[in-house]
């Protein structure tokens, strides 16, 4: 019988992603996928060719890269991870694919991948992280989820926040037995990489507050960048030695900072290696984030700043949806709102009682390292993979 495909590719467990490998490897996906390559012998990564969303999507942009961009990214990635070359591939539209189980990230990418899964008859699971077009009480988001859960090849969804688990169940979008709740996610670092913390008035002369985020909206209102700058202006008028640091997609053109120009530094996007040293000098990670601002029903995972918290920076973060279930406010985290005056007052209390701040950051560091332990996160996901791919635990390996 004539086949439209050049060849059939058969694998056991695969991840399909639009971003991995990256030209400059960073972020949680890089950590997570690298751990699977390290630990699972019969695991392979595939990068999406450009794919467009179906009719239920509220967004119009596609996902995936050209083969030329993939080759460029892989070549750069392999400078840092040369042993992973044989595990990283590009999806070819001309091939048929078979797998015992596929895994993908976020609602949007999984929805865009759905026709591929169905066409190739590939059983799949995905992780429904906050973001990625997933919105609470968002009709388009719900319709995308329904299409995914109605696929005969859907096996399981991993959720990382209890609000997501409860939403899927309460809205009757997914059967409870098809949901795996694994709180948290991945940091970019290992414990043995963490740089010794520098303490204010002991190892450094400045009190340092940072804001670290990608830019998704005008003035970063979803991440609370506007509130951060408002707080910076208030504190700068009262504390001579305070300094502010912005890493990510923001610069001095987003909001006027001319009045505090000597006290604020913009770094752009930075590598994990930079952040390790950077966080060692930071006293507070400030994230007055807001839900429902990026798109209808949007929200961030709680807490923002886990990389910073993992490195011993005190987390001052928003929680307008009351998502916190693992940290204790004022003991290992500081939960804030978006009111600049109230945030300023909160910070001043700790600035004037610096021992309390460092106790908060120390306990927060311990809690974050416990909750976001890479071994735990990976092993819990491997349990899901083994269940639905019918793989055995003894098929996993440890790579050097």
């Amino acid at each position: 019988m004539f086949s439209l495909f050049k060849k059939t590719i058969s694998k056991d467990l695969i991840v399909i992603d639009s971003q991995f490998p990256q030209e400059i490897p960073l972020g949680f996906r890089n950590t997570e996928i690298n751990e699977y390559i390290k630990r699972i012998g019969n695991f392979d990564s595939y990068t999406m060719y450009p794919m467009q969303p179906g009719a239920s999507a509220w967004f119009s942009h596609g996902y995936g890269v050209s083969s030329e961009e993939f080759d460029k990214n892989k070549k750069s990635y392999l400078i840092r991870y040369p042993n992973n070359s044989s595990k990283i591939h590009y999806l070819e539209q001309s091939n048929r694919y078979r797998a015992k189980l596929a895994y993908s990230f976020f609602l949007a990418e999984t929805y865009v991948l759905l026709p591929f899964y169905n066409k190739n008859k590939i059983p799949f699971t995905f992780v429904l992280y906050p973001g990625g077009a997933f919105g609470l009480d968002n009709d388009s988001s719900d319709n995308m989820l329904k299409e995914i859960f109605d696929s005969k090849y859907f096996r399981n969804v991993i959720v990382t926040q209890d609000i997501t688990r409860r939403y899927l169940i309460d809205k009757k979008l997914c059967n409870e037995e098809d949901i795996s709740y694994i709180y948290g996610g991945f940091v970019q670092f290992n414990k043995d990489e963490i740089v010794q913390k520098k303490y204010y008035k002991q190892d450094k002369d400045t009190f340092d507050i940072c804001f670290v985020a990608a830019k998704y909206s005008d003035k970063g209102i979803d991440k609370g960048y506007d509130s951060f700058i408002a707080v910076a202006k208030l504190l700068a008028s009262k504390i001579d030695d305070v300094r502010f640091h912005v890493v990510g997609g923001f610069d001095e053109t987003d909001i006027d900072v001319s009045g505090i120009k000597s006290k604020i530094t913009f770094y752009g996007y930075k590598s994990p290696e930079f952040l390790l040293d950077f966080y060692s000098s930071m006293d507070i990670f400030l994230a007055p984030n807001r839900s429902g601002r990026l798109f209808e029903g949007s929200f961030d995972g709680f807490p923002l700043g886990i990389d910073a918290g993992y490195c011993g920076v005190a987390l001052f973060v928003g929680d307008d949806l009351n998502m916190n279930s693992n940290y204790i406010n004022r003991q290992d985290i500081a939960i804030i709102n978006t009111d600049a005056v109230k945030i300023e007052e909160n910070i001043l209390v700790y600035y004037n009682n610096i021992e309390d701040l460092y106790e908060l950051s120390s306990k927060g560091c311990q809690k974050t390292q416990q909750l976001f332990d890479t071994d735990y996160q990976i092993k819990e996901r491997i349990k899901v993979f083994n269940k639905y791919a019918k793989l055995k635990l003894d098929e996993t390996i440890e790579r050097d």
Side-chain angles (χ1 to χ4, degrees):
M1 183 177 178
F2 177 75
S3 174
L4 297 176
F5 299 102
K6 286 185 178 179
K7 58 182 178 179
T8 298
I9 307 295
S10 296
K11 296 289 184 178
D12 285 340
L13 177 61
I14 63 174
V15 65
I16 306 178
D17 190 65
S18 67
Q19 297 184 11
F20 182 90
Q22 300 161 304
E23 184 175 12
I24 301 175
L26 52 80
F28 76 91
R29 287 196 236 202
N30 182 66
T31 297
E32 183 172 348
I33 295 174
N34 281 333
E35 286 296 322
Y36 297 141
I37 293 174
K38 175 182 177 182
R39 297 167 186 255
I40 306 174
N42 44 350
F43 173 87
D44 290 86
S45 168
Y46 282 88
T47 303
M48 299 164 63
Y49 56 78
M51 301 180 184
Q52 297 301 312
S56 293
W58 56 263
F59 56 92
S60 59
H61 63 271
Y63 287 88
V65 300
S66 67
S67 60
E68 292 78 13
E69 185 173 356
F70 166 77
D71 290 338
K72 180 191 69 173
N73 291 346
K74 182 178 178 180
K75 181 179 180 181
S76 180
Y77 163 90
L78 290 176
I79 294 173
R80 182 169 180 182
Y81 304 100
N83 295 332
N84 294 353
S85 179
S86 64
K87 292 295 188 178
I88 299 172
H89 318 279
Y90 184 72
L91 280 183
E92 300 285 353
Q93 294 188 63
S94 58
N95 293 337
R96 182 197 302 272
Y97 291 88
R98 294 285 184 256
K100 291 182 179 178
L101 188 70
Y103 175 63
S104 48
F105 299 92
F106 293 102
L107 169 58
E109 289 192 28
T110 303
Y111 178 69
V112 170
L113 275 166
L114 186 60
F116 175 86
Y117 287 147
N118 290 337
K119 178 180 179 181
N120 288 274
K121 301 178 181 179
I122 296 176
F124 67 93
T125 183
F126 73 106
V127 57
L128 186 57
Y129 285 120
F134 171 47
L136 303 176
D137 296 316
N138 180 312
D139 290 343
S140 174
S141 171
D142 287 354
N143 289 335
M144 286 189 284
L145 286 168
K146 288 174 184 176
E147 285 192 43
I148 291 171
F149 296 142
D150 285 345
S151 170
K152 64 187 294 186
Y153 302 105
F154 166 72
R155 296 294 180 267
N156 182 265
V157 58
I158 296 171
V159 300
T160 61
Q161 303 282 330
D162 189 56
I163 193 173
T164 305
R165 182 189 65 83
R166 289 187 282 108
Y167 182 78
L168 296 181
I169 295 171
D170 292 346
K171 295 274 289 197
K172 296 181 169 55
L173 292 168
C174 186
N175 295 325
E176 188 170 0
E177 60 267 26
D178 295 328
I179 302 171
S180 296
Y181 176 41
I182 307 172
Y183 174 80
F186 293 86
V187 295
Q188 302 183 77
F189 319 121
N190 296 318
K191 287 182 183 179
D192 57 6
E193 296 177 314
I194 296 176
V195 178
Q196 179 67 40
K197 187 173 180 65
K198 299 177 181 66
Y199 294 95
Y200 173 54
K201 289 189 175 178
Q202 178 179 320
D203 306 303
K204 59 193 182 82
D205 297 324
T206 54
F207 186 76
D208 297 280
I209 302 174
C210 66
F211 179 92
V212 182
K215 182 182 177 183
Y216 297 112
S217 64
D218 182 45
K219 294 181 173 54
I221 193 169
D222 59 312
K223 301 297 183 183
Y225 177 67
D226 57 326
S227 290
F228 172 81
I229 294 300
V231 171
K233 291 176 179 179
L234 290 170
L235 288 172
S237 67
K238 297 179 179 178
I239 305 175
D240 289 336
D241 54 10
V242 69
R243 297 294 182 271
F244 305 96
H245 308 262
V246 180
V247 176
F250 300 90
D251 60 33
E252 62 275 4
T253 66
D254 289 293
I255 298 176
D256 179 33
V257 292
S258 56
I260 56 171
K261 189 174 182 179
S262 63
K263 295 187 176 184
I264 189 167
T265 304
F266 296 90
Y267 300 84
Y269 290 100
K270 288 296 182 179
S271 69
E273 290 80 11
F274 172 89
L275 291 174
L276 281 166
D277 187 63
F278 174 79
Y279 284 139
S280 71
S281 296
M282 294 298 111
D283 298 298
I284 290 176
F285 177 99
L286 182 56
N289 54 307
R290 305 173 176 94
S291 62
R293 297 303 182 96
L294 190 58
F295 56 86
E296 183 182 355
S298 65
F299 66 101
D300 291 306
F302 184 90
L304 287 182
I306 59 171
D307 282 354
Y310 195 89
C311 292
V313 185
L315 298 182
F316 284 56
V317 298
D319 185 23
D320 59 1
L321 294 180
N322 297 315
M323 295 169 60
N324 179 38
S325 58
N326 292 279
Y327 290 84
I328 301 174
N329 190 26
R330 307 294 178 184
Q331 178 172 308
D332 46 33
I333 203 166
I335 297 176
I336 59 173
N337 58 28
T338 57
D339 183 273
V341 173
K342 291 182 179 179
I343 296 173
E344 177 215 21
E345 292 172 353
N346 197 344
I347 291 175
L348 283 174
V349 169
Y350 281 101
Y351 175 80
N352 292 317
N353 297 274
I354 200 69
E355 295 83 5
D356 291 344
L357 177 67
Y358 288 137
E359 183 177 1
L360 181 80
S361 64
S362 176
K363 290 182 177 178
C365 177
Q366 295 173 33
K367 179 65 69 69
T368 302
Q369 289 184 1
Q370 171 194 343
L371 293 171
F372 295 86
D373 176 71
T374 297
D375 282 341
Y376 170 78
Q377 294 289 335
I378 288 292
K379 288 176 181 177
E380 290 301 301
R381 284 161 174 75
I382 286 177
K383 289 178 184 178
V384 175
F385 300 156
N386 286 334
K387 178 178 179 180
Y388 293 97
K390 296 181 172 56
L391 301 172
K392 297 179 181 178
L393 283 171
D394 60 9
E395 291 180 17
T396 63
I397 65 169
E398 290 283 346
R399 293 177 180 273
D400 294 328

